[in-house]
mmCIF file of all heavy atoms in Angstrom:
data_model
loop_
_atom_site.group_PDB
_atom_site.id
_atom_site.type_symbol
_atom_site.label_atom_id
_atom_site.label_comp_id
_atom_site.label_asym_id
_atom_site.label_seq_id
_atom_site.Cartn_x
_atom_site.Cartn_y
_atom_site.Cartn_z
ATOM 1 N N TRP E 85 0.826 -1.206 0.000
ATOM 2 C CA TRP E 85 0.000 0.000 0.000
ATOM 3 C C TRP E 85 0.863 1.259 0.000
ATOM 4 O O TRP E 85 0.594 2.211 -0.735
ATOM 5 C CB TRP E 85 -0.932 -0.020 1.200
ATOM 6 C CG TRP E 85 -1.754 1.229 1.349
ATOM 7 C CD1 TRP E 85 -1.576 2.233 2.253
ATOM 8 C CD2 TRP E 85 -2.875 1.608 0.550
ATOM 9 N NE1 TRP E 85 -2.513 3.219 2.080
ATOM 10 C CE2 TRP E 85 -3.330 2.865 1.040
ATOM 11 C CE3 TRP E 85 -3.539 1.027 -0.517
ATOM 12 C CZ2 TRP E 85 -4.422 3.527 0.488
ATOM 13 C CZ3 TRP E 85 -4.628 1.692 -1.066
ATOM 14 C CH2 TRP E 85 -5.044 2.916 -0.575
ATOM 15 N N ARG E 86 1.893 1.275 0.827
ATOM 16 C CA ARG E 86 2.765 2.450 0.873
ATOM 17 C C ARG E 86 3.458 2.650 -0.475
ATOM 18 O O ARG E 86 3.628 3.788 -0.939
ATOM 19 C CB ARG E 86 3.794 2.303 1.996
ATOM 20 C CG ARG E 86 3.193 2.389 3.394
ATOM 21 C CD ARG E 86 4.276 2.310 4.460
ATOM 22 N NE ARG E 86 5.095 3.512 4.475
ATOM 23 C CZ ARG E 86 4.886 4.562 5.270
ATOM 24 N NH1 ARG E 86 3.880 4.543 6.134
ATOM 25 N NH2 ARG E 86 5.684 5.614 5.227
ATOM 26 N N TRP E 87 3.868 1.566 -1.091
ATOM 27 C CA TRP E 87 4.532 1.684 -2.392
ATOM 28 C C TRP E 87 3.567 2.211 -3.452
ATOM 29 O O TRP E 87 3.917 3.101 -4.239
ATOM 30 C CB TRP E 87 5.076 0.320 -2.806
ATOM 31 C CG TRP E 87 5.793 0.340 -4.118
ATOM 32 C CD1 TRP E 87 7.065 0.770 -4.376
ATOM 33 C CD2 TRP E 87 5.258 -0.083 -5.388
ATOM 34 N NE1 TRP E 87 7.363 0.637 -5.709
ATOM 35 C CE2 TRP E 87 6.278 0.119 -6.354
ATOM 36 C CE3 TRP E 87 4.048 -0.627 -5.796
ATOM 37 C CZ2 TRP E 87 6.090 -0.196 -7.692
ATOM 38 C CZ3 TRP E 87 3.860 -0.935 -7.138
ATOM 39 C CH2 TRP E 87 4.881 -0.715 -8.068
ATOM 40 N N LEU E 88 2.324 1.702 -3.445
ATOM 41 C CA LEU E 88 1.336 2.116 -4.441
ATOM 42 C C LEU E 88 0.923 3.571 -4.258
ATOM 43 O O LEU E 88 0.619 4.261 -5.240
ATOM 44 C CB LEU E 88 0.100 1.218 -4.362
ATOM 45 C CG LEU E 88 0.277 -0.212 -4.882
ATOM 46 C CD1 LEU E 88 -0.950 -1.049 -4.549
ATOM 47 C CD2 LEU E 88 0.525 -0.219 -6.390
ATOM 48 N N THR E 89 0.909 4.044 -3.021
ATOM 49 C CA THR E 89 0.483 5.422 -2.760
ATOM 50 C C THR E 89 1.639 6.412 -2.757
ATOM 51 O O THR E 89 1.432 7.609 -2.537
ATOM 52 C CB THR E 89 -0.254 5.505 -1.407
ATOM 53 O OG1 THR E 89 0.607 5.033 -0.357
ATOM 54 C CG2 THR E 89 -1.524 4.671 -1.433
ATOM 55 N N GLY E 90 2.845 5.932 -2.975
ATOM 56 C CA GLY E 90 3.995 6.816 -3.022
ATOM 57 C C GLY E 90 4.553 7.214 -1.674
ATOM 58 O O GLY E 90 5.412 8.099 -1.588
ATOM 59 N N ALA E 91 4.082 6.559 -0.606
ATOM 60 C CA ALA E 91 4.609 6.855 0.731
ATOM 61 C C ALA E 91 6.000 6.236 0.870
ATOM 62 O O ALA E 91 6.329 5.260 0.197
ATOM 63 C CB ALA E 91 3.670 6.301 1.802
ATOM 64 N N PRO E 92 6.850 6.789 1.737
ATOM 65 C CA PRO E 92 8.195 6.222 1.915
ATOM 66 C C PRO E 92 8.117 4.764 2.352
ATOM 67 O O PRO E 92 7.293 4.393 3.192
ATOM 68 C CB PRO E 92 8.806 7.090 3.023
ATOM 69 C CG PRO E 92 8.013 8.345 3.014
ATOM 70 C CD PRO E 92 6.626 7.982 2.586
ATOM 71 N N MET E 93 8.965 3.937 1.766
ATOM 72 C CA MET E 93 8.988 2.522 2.110
ATOM 73 C C MET E 93 10.351 1.950 1.768
ATOM 74 O O MET E 93 10.827 2.093 0.648
ATOM 75 C CB MET E 93 7.895 1.754 1.359
ATOM 76 C CG MET E 93 7.569 0.388 1.956
ATOM 77 S SD MET E 93 8.758 -0.933 1.544
ATOM 78 C CE MET E 93 8.372 -1.196 -0.191
ATOM 79 N N SER E 94 11.012 1.352 2.749
ATOM 80 C CA SER E 94 12.291 0.711 2.485
ATOM 81 C C SER E 94 12.313 -0.654 3.149
ATOM 82 O O SER E 94 11.879 -0.801 4.291
ATOM 83 C CB SER E 94 13.456 1.575 3.001
ATOM 84 O OG SER E 94 13.361 1.766 4.397
ATOM 85 N N ARG E 95 12.811 -1.649 2.412
ATOM 86 C CA ARG E 95 12.970 -2.991 2.942
ATOM 87 C C ARG E 95 14.031 -3.701 2.118
ATOM 88 O O ARG E 95 13.939 -3.772 0.901
ATOM 89 C CB ARG E 95 11.661 -3.770 2.866
ATOM 90 C CG ARG E 95 11.623 -5.070 3.711
ATOM 91 C CD ARG E 95 12.308 -6.295 3.086
ATOM 92 N NE ARG E 95 11.677 -6.780 1.873
ATOM 93 C CZ ARG E 95 10.697 -7.710 1.851
ATOM 94 N NH1 ARG E 95 10.278 -8.242 2.962
ATOM 95 N NH2 ARG E 95 10.170 -8.084 0.693
ATOM 96 N N GLN E 96 15.010 -4.237 2.773
ATOM 97 C CA GLN E 96 16.017 -5.076 2.130
ATOM 98 C C GLN E 96 15.953 -6.433 2.796
ATOM 99 O O GLN E 96 16.233 -6.564 3.984
ATOM 100 C CB GLN E 96 17.422 -4.482 2.272
ATOM 101 C CG GLN E 96 18.506 -5.324 1.598
ATOM 102 C CD GLN E 96 19.890 -4.726 1.761
ATOM 103 O OE1 GLN E 96 20.044 -3.603 2.227
ATOM 104 N NE2 GLN E 96 20.913 -5.485 1.390
ATOM 105 N N TRP E 97 15.587 -7.435 2.021
ATOM 106 C CA TRP E 97 15.433 -8.780 2.589
ATOM 107 C C TRP E 97 16.777 -9.286 3.119
ATOM 108 O O TRP E 97 17.818 -9.094 2.491
ATOM 109 C CB TRP E 97 14.902 -9.749 1.541
ATOM 110 C CG TRP E 97 14.646 -11.128 2.079
ATOM 111 C CD1 TRP E 97 15.555 -12.143 2.227
ATOM 112 C CD2 TRP E 97 13.402 -11.624 2.556
ATOM 113 N NE1 TRP E 97 14.959 -13.246 2.773
ATOM 114 C CE2 TRP E 97 13.623 -12.950 2.987
ATOM 115 C CE3 TRP E 97 12.120 -11.093 2.661
ATOM 116 C CZ2 TRP E 97 12.607 -13.758 3.502
ATOM 117 C CZ3 TRP E 97 11.101 -11.894 3.178
ATOM 118 C CH2 TRP E 97 11.362 -13.206 3.590
ATOM 119 N N ILE E 98 16.720 -9.940 4.278
ATOM 120 C CA ILE E 98 17.903 -10.582 4.837
ATOM 121 C C ILE E 98 17.524 -11.994 5.251
ATOM 122 O O ILE E 98 16.508 -12.207 5.923
ATOM 123 C CB ILE E 98 18.481 -9.782 6.035
ATOM 124 C CG1 ILE E 98 19.709 -10.493 6.603
ATOM 125 C CG2 ILE E 98 17.435 -9.530 7.104
ATOM 126 C CD1 ILE E 98 20.481 -9.664 7.628
ATOM 127 N N ASP E 99 18.294 -12.969 4.802
ATOM 128 C CA ASP E 99 18.010 -14.363 5.133
ATOM 129 C C ASP E 99 18.165 -14.609 6.626
ATOM 130 O O ASP E 99 18.979 -13.962 7.303
ATOM 131 C CB ASP E 99 18.941 -15.302 4.359
ATOM 132 C CG ASP E 99 18.649 -15.314 2.870
ATOM 133 O OD1 ASP E 99 17.522 -14.937 2.479
ATOM 134 O OD2 ASP E 99 19.546 -15.684 2.091
ATOM 135 N N PHE E 100 17.409 -15.558 7.126
ATOM 136 C CA PHE E 100 17.389 -15.816 8.558
ATOM 137 C C PHE E 100 18.784 -16.090 9.107
ATOM 138 O O PHE E 100 19.161 -15.577 10.168
ATOM 139 C CB PHE E 100 16.466 -16.992 8.869
ATOM 140 C CG PHE E 100 16.248 -17.202 10.336
ATOM 141 C CD1 PHE E 100 15.249 -16.531 11.013
ATOM 142 C CD2 PHE E 100 17.048 -18.079 11.051
ATOM 143 C CE1 PHE E 100 15.051 -16.710 12.366
ATOM 144 C CE2 PHE E 100 16.860 -18.266 12.413
ATOM 145 C CZ PHE E 100 15.857 -17.581 13.075
ATOM 146 N N ASN E 101 19.556 -16.907 8.406
ATOM 147 C CA ASN E 101 20.871 -17.292 8.917
ATOM 148 C C ASN E 101 21.859 -16.130 8.946
ATOM 149 O O ASN E 101 22.915 -16.237 9.572
ATOM 150 C CB ASN E 101 21.445 -18.439 8.088
ATOM 151 C CG ASN E 101 20.693 -19.732 8.309
ATOM 152 O OD1 ASN E 101 20.029 -19.911 9.321
ATOM 153 N ND2 ASN E 101 20.788 -20.644 7.352
ATOM 154 N N ALA E 102 21.524 -15.041 8.265
ATOM 155 C CA ALA E 102 22.404 -13.867 8.272
ATOM 156 C C ALA E 102 22.058 -12.892 9.391
ATOM 157 O O ALA E 102 22.835 -11.982 9.676
ATOM 158 C CB ALA E 102 22.335 -13.153 6.928
ATOM 159 N N ILE E 103 20.896 -13.055 10.010
ATOM 160 C CA ILE E 103 20.471 -12.153 11.079
ATOM 161 C C ILE E 103 21.192 -12.526 12.375
ATOM 162 O O ILE E 103 21.359 -13.703 12.698
ATOM 163 C CB ILE E 103 18.949 -12.245 11.289
ATOM 164 C CG1 ILE E 103 18.206 -11.851 10.013
ATOM 165 C CG2 ILE E 103 18.500 -11.357 12.445
ATOM 166 C CD1 ILE E 103 16.704 -12.084 10.084
ATOM 167 N N SER E 104 21.594 -11.534 13.124
ATOM 168 C CA SER E 104 22.161 -11.796 14.444
ATOM 169 C C SER E 104 21.179 -12.632 15.260
ATOM 170 O O SER E 104 19.996 -12.284 15.357
ATOM 171 C CB SER E 104 22.429 -10.477 15.180
ATOM 172 O OG SER E 104 22.671 -10.706 16.551
ATOM 173 N N PRO E 105 21.620 -13.756 15.833
ATOM 174 C CA PRO E 105 20.698 -14.597 16.617
ATOM 175 C C PRO E 105 20.011 -13.849 17.748
ATOM 176 O O PRO E 105 18.932 -14.248 18.196
ATOM 177 C CB PRO E 105 21.607 -15.704 17.169
ATOM 178 C CG PRO E 105 22.772 -15.747 16.230
ATOM 179 C CD PRO E 105 22.971 -14.343 15.765
ATOM 180 N N ALA E 106 20.609 -12.759 18.190
ATOM 181 C CA ALA E 106 20.001 -12.000 19.281
ATOM 182 C C ALA E 106 18.641 -11.427 18.896
ATOM 183 O O ALA E 106 17.775 -11.242 19.767
ATOM 184 C CB ALA E 106 20.936 -10.864 19.708
ATOM 185 N N LEU E 107 18.416 -11.143 17.603
ATOM 186 C CA LEU E 107 17.157 -10.511 17.209
ATOM 187 C C LEU E 107 15.979 -11.477 17.277
ATOM 188 O O LEU E 107 14.978 -11.162 17.929
ATOM 189 C CB LEU E 107 17.275 -9.880 15.828
ATOM 190 C CG LEU E 107 16.046 -9.074 15.399
ATOM 191 C CD1 LEU E 107 15.752 -7.953 16.395
ATOM 192 C CD2 LEU E 107 16.229 -8.499 14.000
ATOM 193 N N PRO E 108 16.019 -12.648 16.612
ATOM 194 C CA PRO E 108 14.882 -13.560 16.786
ATOM 195 C C PRO E 108 14.671 -13.958 18.231
ATOM 196 O O PRO E 108 13.529 -14.112 18.676
ATOM 197 C CB PRO E 108 15.239 -14.762 15.898
ATOM 198 C CG PRO E 108 16.677 -14.640 15.602
ATOM 199 C CD PRO E 108 16.991 -13.187 15.654
ATOM 200 N N ASN E 109 15.750 -14.118 18.994
ATOM 201 C CA ASN E 109 15.599 -14.463 20.402
ATOM 202 C C ASN E 109 14.819 -13.379 21.151
ATOM 203 O O ASN E 109 13.904 -13.672 21.931
ATOM 204 C CB ASN E 109 16.974 -14.647 21.049
ATOM 205 C CG ASN E 109 17.735 -15.829 20.491
ATOM 206 O OD1 ASN E 109 17.173 -16.682 19.810
ATOM 207 N ND2 ASN E 109 19.027 -15.884 20.766
ATOM 208 N N SER E 110 15.168 -12.121 20.911
ATOM 209 C CA SER E 110 14.506 -11.014 21.599
ATOM 210 C C SER E 110 13.071 -10.829 21.123
ATOM 211 O O SER E 110 12.170 -10.542 21.920
ATOM 212 C CB SER E 110 15.291 -9.720 21.385
ATOM 213 O OG SER E 110 16.540 -9.765 22.033
ATOM 214 N N VAL E 111 12.843 -10.979 19.822
ATOM 215 C CA VAL E 111 11.506 -10.780 19.273
ATOM 216 C C VAL E 111 10.538 -11.832 19.811
ATOM 217 O O VAL E 111 9.403 -11.526 20.185
ATOM 218 C CB VAL E 111 11.546 -10.786 17.742
ATOM 219 C CG1 VAL E 111 10.145 -10.914 17.156
ATOM 220 C CG2 VAL E 111 12.207 -9.514 17.227
ATOM 221 N N VAL E 112 10.975 -13.073 19.864
ATOM 222 C CA VAL E 112 10.111 -14.121 20.411
ATOM 223 C C VAL E 112 9.858 -13.862 21.896
ATOM 224 O O VAL E 112 8.732 -14.023 22.385
ATOM 225 C CB VAL E 112 10.731 -15.512 20.186
ATOM 226 C CG1 VAL E 112 9.974 -16.582 20.969
ATOM 227 C CG2 VAL E 112 10.720 -15.856 18.704
ATOM 228 N N ALA E 113 10.889 -13.455 22.625
ATOM 229 C CA ALA E 113 10.711 -13.134 24.040
ATOM 230 C C ALA E 113 9.710 -12.005 24.233
ATOM 231 O O ALA E 113 8.941 -11.997 25.199
ATOM 232 C CB ALA E 113 12.050 -12.757 24.663
ATOM 233 N N ALA E 114 9.691 -11.053 23.305
ATOM 234 C CA ALA E 114 8.816 -9.891 23.426
ATOM 235 C C ALA E 114 7.406 -10.160 22.924
ATOM 236 O O ALA E 114 6.424 -9.726 23.537
ATOM 237 C CB ALA E 114 9.410 -8.718 22.661
ATOM 238 N N GLU E 115 7.286 -10.872 21.822
ATOM 239 C CA GLU E 115 6.015 -10.954 21.115
ATOM 240 C C GLU E 115 5.252 -12.253 21.310
ATOM 241 O O GLU E 115 4.024 -12.271 21.192
ATOM 242 C CB GLU E 115 6.268 -10.753 19.605
ATOM 243 C CG GLU E 115 6.811 -9.397 19.228
ATOM 244 C CD GLU E 115 5.739 -8.329 19.276
ATOM 245 O OE1 GLU E 115 4.866 -8.314 18.402
ATOM 246 O OE2 GLU E 115 5.769 -7.525 20.230
ATOM 247 N N ASP E 116 5.970 -13.341 21.585
ATOM 248 C CA ASP E 116 5.285 -14.646 21.525
ATOM 249 C C ASP E 116 6.121 -15.693 22.251
ATOM 250 O O ASP E 116 6.773 -16.528 21.631
ATOM 251 C CB ASP E 116 5.084 -15.035 20.055
ATOM 252 C CG ASP E 116 4.202 -16.251 19.868
ATOM 253 O OD1 ASP E 116 3.760 -16.834 20.874
ATOM 254 O OD2 ASP E 116 3.965 -16.621 18.702
ATOM 255 N N ALA E 117 6.064 -15.682 23.583
ATOM 256 C CA ALA E 117 6.916 -16.568 24.383
ATOM 257 C C ALA E 117 6.632 -18.047 24.122
ATOM 258 O O ALA E 117 7.500 -18.895 24.339
ATOM 259 C CB ALA E 117 6.742 -16.260 25.867
ATOM 260 N N HIS E 118 5.419 -18.368 23.659
ATOM 261 C CA HIS E 118 5.047 -19.764 23.390
ATOM 262 C C HIS E 118 5.133 -20.112 21.905
ATOM 263 O O HIS E 118 4.489 -21.059 21.453
ATOM 264 C CB HIS E 118 3.634 -20.032 23.917
ATOM 265 C CG HIS E 118 3.522 -19.891 25.404
ATOM 266 N ND1 HIS E 118 2.371 -19.455 26.033
ATOM 267 C CD2 HIS E 118 4.426 -20.105 26.387
ATOM 268 C CE1 HIS E 118 2.561 -19.430 27.339
ATOM 269 N NE2 HIS E 118 3.805 -19.815 27.578
ATOM 270 N N PHE E 119 5.916 -19.347 21.165
ATOM 271 C CA PHE E 119 6.024 -19.551 19.721
ATOM 272 C C PHE E 119 6.352 -20.998 19.351
ATOM 273 O O PHE E 119 5.822 -21.538 18.386
ATOM 274 C CB PHE E 119 7.098 -18.606 19.167
ATOM 275 C CG PHE E 119 7.347 -18.731 17.695
ATOM 276 C CD1 PHE E 119 6.393 -18.346 16.770
ATOM 277 C CD2 PHE E 119 8.566 -19.224 17.220
ATOM 278 C CE1 PHE E 119 6.626 -18.444 15.409
ATOM 279 C CE2 PHE E 119 8.814 -19.319 15.861
ATOM 280 C CZ PHE E 119 7.839 -18.942 14.948
ATOM 281 N N CYS E 120 7.228 -21.624 20.121
ATOM 282 C CA CYS E 120 7.645 -22.992 19.803
ATOM 283 C C CYS E 120 6.622 -24.039 20.215
ATOM 284 O O CYS E 120 6.738 -25.203 19.815
ATOM 285 C CB CYS E 120 8.982 -23.306 20.476
ATOM 286 S SG CYS E 120 10.374 -22.402 19.768
ATOM 287 N N LYS E 121 5.624 -23.656 21.008
ATOM 288 C CA LYS E 121 4.683 -24.638 21.552
ATOM 289 C C LYS E 121 3.343 -24.652 20.831
ATOM 290 O O LYS E 121 2.712 -25.708 20.711
ATOM 291 C CB LYS E 121 4.449 -24.363 23.042
ATOM 292 C CG LYS E 121 5.699 -24.483 23.898
ATOM 293 C CD LYS E 121 5.403 -24.148 25.359
ATOM 294 C CE LYS E 121 6.646 -24.237 26.216
ATOM 295 N NZ LYS E 121 6.378 -23.878 27.638
ATOM 296 N N HIS E 122 2.874 -23.479 20.391
ATOM 297 C CA HIS E 122 1.529 -23.445 19.807
ATOM 298 C C HIS E 122 1.576 -23.795 18.327
ATOM 299 O O HIS E 122 2.639 -23.873 17.713
ATOM 300 C CB HIS E 122 0.884 -22.076 20.036
ATOM 301 C CG HIS E 122 1.603 -20.928 19.383
ATOM 302 N ND1 HIS E 122 1.694 -20.770 18.027
ATOM 303 C CD2 HIS E 122 2.256 -19.861 19.919
ATOM 304 C CE1 HIS E 122 2.360 -19.681 17.739
ATOM 305 N NE2 HIS E 122 2.726 -19.101 18.872
ATOM 306 N N ARG E 123 0.394 -23.968 17.763
ATOM 307 C CA ARG E 123 0.270 -24.309 16.337
ATOM 308 C C ARG E 123 -0.356 -23.152 15.568
ATOM 309 O O ARG E 123 -1.255 -23.327 14.762
ATOM 310 C CB ARG E 123 -0.572 -25.581 16.163
ATOM 311 C CG ARG E 123 -0.076 -26.784 16.934
ATOM 312 C CD ARG E 123 1.391 -27.093 16.673
ATOM 313 N NE ARG E 123 1.682 -27.333 15.271
ATOM 314 C CZ ARG E 123 2.903 -27.481 14.765
ATOM 315 N NH1 ARG E 123 3.958 -27.379 15.573
ATOM 316 N NH2 ARG E 123 3.081 -27.711 13.488
ATOM 317 N N GLY E 124 0.138 -21.963 15.830
ATOM 318 C CA GLY E 124 -0.338 -20.778 15.131
ATOM 319 C C GLY E 124 -1.137 -19.847 16.003
ATOM 320 O O GLY E 124 -1.093 -18.630 15.835
#
């Protein structure tokens, strides 16, 4: 939507294995502590 409306938008894809492990660890701790246990 931002791209279609001309609003600023930047994203550069980064593969999971290239991301610092600290980020997924922190995001799961913050957003979804049971991520590994539930089925969605």
